[in-house]
Amino acid sequence: MQTQDRLSKNQTIKTATKPYNREDWKRGYESQPQETDYWISNIDGQIPPELNGTLFRNGPGLMDINGQPIAHPFDGDGMIVKIAFKNGQAYFSNRFVCTEGFLKEQAAGKILYRGVFGTQKPGGWLANLFDLKLKNIANTNVIYWGKKLLALWEGERPHSLDPNTLETLGIDDLEGILEPGDPFAAHPRFDPSCAMDDGAPCLVNFSVKAGPSTTITIYEFNPDGKLLRRHGHSIPGFAFLHDMAITENYCIFFQNPVRFNPLKFLLGWSSAGQCIQFNPSAKTQIILIPRHGKGEVKIVETEPCFVFHHANAWEAENEVFIDSICYDSYPSLDEEIDFREVDFDAIPPGQLWRFQVNLATSQVQHKIISDRTCEFPDLHPKNVGRSYRYLYIGTTQNDSGNDPLQAILKIDQKTGEQQIWSAAPRGFVGEPVFVPRPGSTKEDDGWLLVLVYDAANHRSDLVILDARNLQQEPIARLHLRYHIPYGLHGNFTPEYLGPVV
Ligand code: CO
């Protein structure tokens, strides 16, 4: 009896110190079936008139198919959000990516496909037995490159959309480069000035075919979208690679120590994502692939950890530095628990780590830059692959423990200073996107564009922060008419792709 009393008391205290209300957080996962277009008129503050261009974001728009819930938001159909800025005004649009699976399921009014992250077709294991057909849900990232707007999902080829109307044009094989079934990662990097191309910008992306051994293919494209370089490399073992960092000379991957046991997937008991298990007795392998494609692939080992996203990487003399968001282990997907009921305290928090690889000795050192829970990093686009000073990243309201992201953290790598802007208690943030102010010379002279779910009004805001000082009030808060479910990744282009004004 005494033990019980103590337990319930502890739980009460724990709940009381949480900076958010779970019901608030959960509502940000409601489906958003509406597609709308409008000039945003409900604004606090003023949109900077020099902020011109277009923000694109991607993420799951539906958490159910005609009332049948999907098991995990990563299985949700991709919905593109576009906010186009011109002369102090902003135009909002959102559209679903009309993938084959989206159209078929909407027509049928029910789930027809298995999801990678736990969604099973109704009917139990018999209905899912040996069904390896997964839906290309186009929900992870969206990029504008070579005049094409591409919705990315790492398991299959990208979908192309009209950048003005967001109409889905179809699967894009990138001028015959990709075959049906070929993956194309959702985490490209934009090299602002590639030495191999006389300093022209280039787009670097990869694809992964995992099995008993894993093939990584690197693709680099010029600003017109033409293929510059492509090379494939076989890596021993199963590799789950979500993101990549680049430097001027390397593409860098972290091969997390995981095992993949596909039997339960093949038998229809589990989804593919649920068959991945962390293996704490194995090391994390850091894979460095020369970008010109001719040199040898270098693999070095470090302590076991799990990485989804890298913040940045750069070279200095004979060393490579990589800043990554590290987890102690892979947050396994529990088949029994609804993702909305997840116990944040029971899953490992992400923290910002720095790895230092000596290319001559293959020694790896690492240190924690910030032990605060964080995810979704961004930085000035001109510093991608180079040393940098300022990082912007989503974080929790409390400075310890694991919770949903409610704040934006700015880290000054030179001084160690940290600044925070918080949307707590009723706001929940997504990935910040840094936009340099035109003509700026200082690395943090620009804006952070952040989609914030505002539970108090059950709608989302696009918040514009002055990246130089996060402690002050936002420059502007653009209240959207409806909520946007928590999203994944997006990008800004200085090109204005809104209606003619
Ligand atoms: Co990602």
Side-chain angles (χ1 to χ4, degrees):
M1 192 65 200
Q2 256 185 356
T3 318
Q4 254 183 8
D5 280 344
R6 199 164 61 233
L7 267 181
S8 58
K9 203 171 161 190
N10 278 349
Q11 277 165 356
T12 316
I13 289 165
K14 217 157 92 182
T15 314
T17 57
K18 286 291 176 198
Y20 67 98
N21 173 306
R22 183 177 288 267
E23 294 308 309
D24 276 358
W25 173 72
K26 279 160 70 168
R27 287 198 77 195
Y29 274 123
E30 286 182 10
S31 293
Q32 181 49 275
Q34 299 194 75
E35 298 180 318
T36 48
D37 307 85
Y38 55 92
W39 287 102
I40 301 168
S41 56
N42 187 355
I43 300 172
D44 296 335
Q46 272 196 329
I47 301 170
E50 349 53 306
L51 172 57
N52 288 305
T54 310
L55 175 72
F56 290 104
R57 299 207 49 79
N58 199 351
L62 293 180
M63 302 303 146
D64 67 282
I65 309 293
N66 198 23
Q68 284 179 359
I70 59 168
H72 195 281
F74 291 173
D75 285 339
D77 290 299
M79 185 181 83
I80 306 295
V81 166
K82 172 172 103 167
I83 301 177
F85 298 91
K86 192 165 190 176
N87 302 331
Q89 293 195 301
Y91 190 81
F92 174 91
S93 317
N94 74 314
R95 289 288 184 282
F96 282 92
V97 186
C98 293
T99 65
E100 187 191 344
F102 172 80
L103 295 173
K104 280 189 178 163
E105 287 188 329
Q106 289 304 311
K110 60 180 184 183
I111 294 174
L112 301 174
Y113 298 80
R114 300 175 69 185
V116 176
F117 292 95
T119 301
Q120 299 277 45
K121 292 189 297 183
W125 63 271
L126 200 59
N128 292 285
L129 184 69
F130 296 119
D131 183 352
L132 306 184
K133 219 166 72 149
L134 298 171
K135 183 167 62 154
N136 178 349
I137 45 178
N139 73 355
T140 315
N141 201 347
V142 55
I143 60 169
Y144 182 67
W145 186 262
K147 304 285 175 198
K148 275 185 183 175
L149 186 68
L150 298 172
L152 306 178
W153 182 67
E154 64 199 12
E156 243 277 9
R157 293 167 296 170
H159 281 78
S160 175
L161 295 97
D162 183 309
N164 292 102
T165 63
L166 295 184
E167 181 199 345
T168 302
L169 304 173
I171 284 186
D172 197 314
D173 65 6
L174 306 178
E175 302 184 5
I177 294 168
L178 302 174
E179 302 284 331
D182 273 354
F184 192 66
H187 279 278
R189 295 280 167 175
F190 303 89
D191 184 340
S193 170
C194 179
M196 288 179 281
D197 311 324
D198 300 321
C202 78
L203 173 75
V204 188
N205 201 12
F206 65 98
S207 69
V208 181
K209 280 189 177 163
S213 72
T214 297
T215 302
I216 305 174
T217 305
I218 306 291
Y219 306 87
E220 302 207 10
F221 301 88
N222 77 3
D224 296 326
K226 300 274 181 260
L227 186 69
L228 292 162
R229 290 168 284 279
R230 169 171 51 178
H231 38 96
H233 306 271
S234 183
I235 304 296
F238 171 82
F240 176 83
L241 307 171
H242 177 66
D243 193 6
M244 160 188 75
I246 59 166
T247 64
E248 287 170 77
N249 294 299
Y250 294 100
C251 288
I252 301 164
F253 299 88
F254 275 40
Q255 187 175 359
N256 300 301
V258 289
R259 291 195 199 98
F260 182 66
N261 179 354
L263 190 63
K264 287 208 293 183
F265 173 65
L266 292 173
L267 292 175
W269 297 343
S270 297
S271 68
Q274 287 162 339
C275 295
I276 294 174
Q277 274 184 334
F278 192 71
N279 177 13
S281 58
K283 296 271 191 185
T284 288
Q285 319 263 345
I286 302 178
I287 303 163
L288 298 111
I289 299 177
R291 281 179 55 191
H292 54 59
K294 297 178 197 86
E296 215 173 284
V297 174
K298 193 170 182 66
I299 301 181
V300 296
E301 284 189 342
T302 187
E303 299 310 307
C305 61
F306 195 91
V307 171
F308 286 107
H309 297 127
H310 301 289
N312 198 21
W314 67 99
E315 296 168 40
E317 293 176 7
N318 212 17
E319 290 186 308
V320 172
F321 294 80
I322 310 126
D323 288 354
S324 310
I325 293 85
C326 278
Y327 297 79
D328 279 349
S329 67
Y330 175 71
S332 297
L333 302 163
D334 193 320
E335 287 137 67
E336 307 299 319
I337 296 176
D338 186 315
F339 68 90
R340 294 171 190 86
E341 303 302 336
V342 64
D343 178 3
F344 280 94
D345 293 311
I347 52 175
Q351 293 171 326
L352 186 65
W353 285 63
R354 175 162 299 168
F355 296 86
Q356 186 174 350
V357 179
N358 185 311
L359 293 173
T361 65
S362 298
Q363 293 291 313
V364 184
Q365 292 178 299
H366 57 77
K367 65 171 184 183
I368 292 188
I369 297 178
S370 171
D371 61 1
R372 203 184 168 102
T373 300
C374 59
E375 246 309 350
F376 293 131
D378 199 29
L379 69 156
H380 195 302
K382 80 172 166 53
N383 294 89
V384 171
R386 282 113 182 119
S387 68
Y388 71 114
R389 181 165 173 182
Y390 299 109
L391 184 75
Y392 313 96
I393 190 164
T395 190
T396 47
Q397 166 67 15
N398 286 352
D399 56 10
S400 65
N402 200 7
D403 285 316
L405 303 179
Q406 294 192 278
I408 303 295
L409 171 68
K410 175 189 181 185
I411 300 177
D412 182 338
Q413 310 273 20
K414 195 172 163 188
T415 64
E417 190 203 347
Q418 300 195 352
Q419 288 180 353
I420 285 174
W421 175 79
S422 176
R426 304 203 71 184
F428 300 88
V429 306
E431 173 191 68
V433 174
F434 177 83
V435 178
R437 194 170 59 80
S440 64
T441 51
K442 291 209 168 110
E443 192 185 314
D444 62 347
D445 188 0
W447 306 283
L448 292 175
L449 307 183
V450 190
L451 262 184
V452 178
Y453 171 64
D454 167 20
N457 295 292
H458 190 47
R459 68 180 175 200
S460 294
D461 290 344
L462 190 279
V463 172
I464 304 174
L465 301 170
D466 186 336
R468 291 171 301 183
N469 184 1
L470 298 196
Q471 315 285 42
Q472 64 192 21
E473 280 296 296
I475 295 174
R477 237 180 224 274
L478 287 57
H479 304 296
L480 306 182
R481 289 186 191 163
Y482 308 106
H483 84 287
I484 308 296
Y486 301 123
L488 293 165
H489 304 291
N491 289 281
F492 182 87
T493 168
E495 206 169 312
Y496 171 77
L497 293 158
V500 179
V501 280

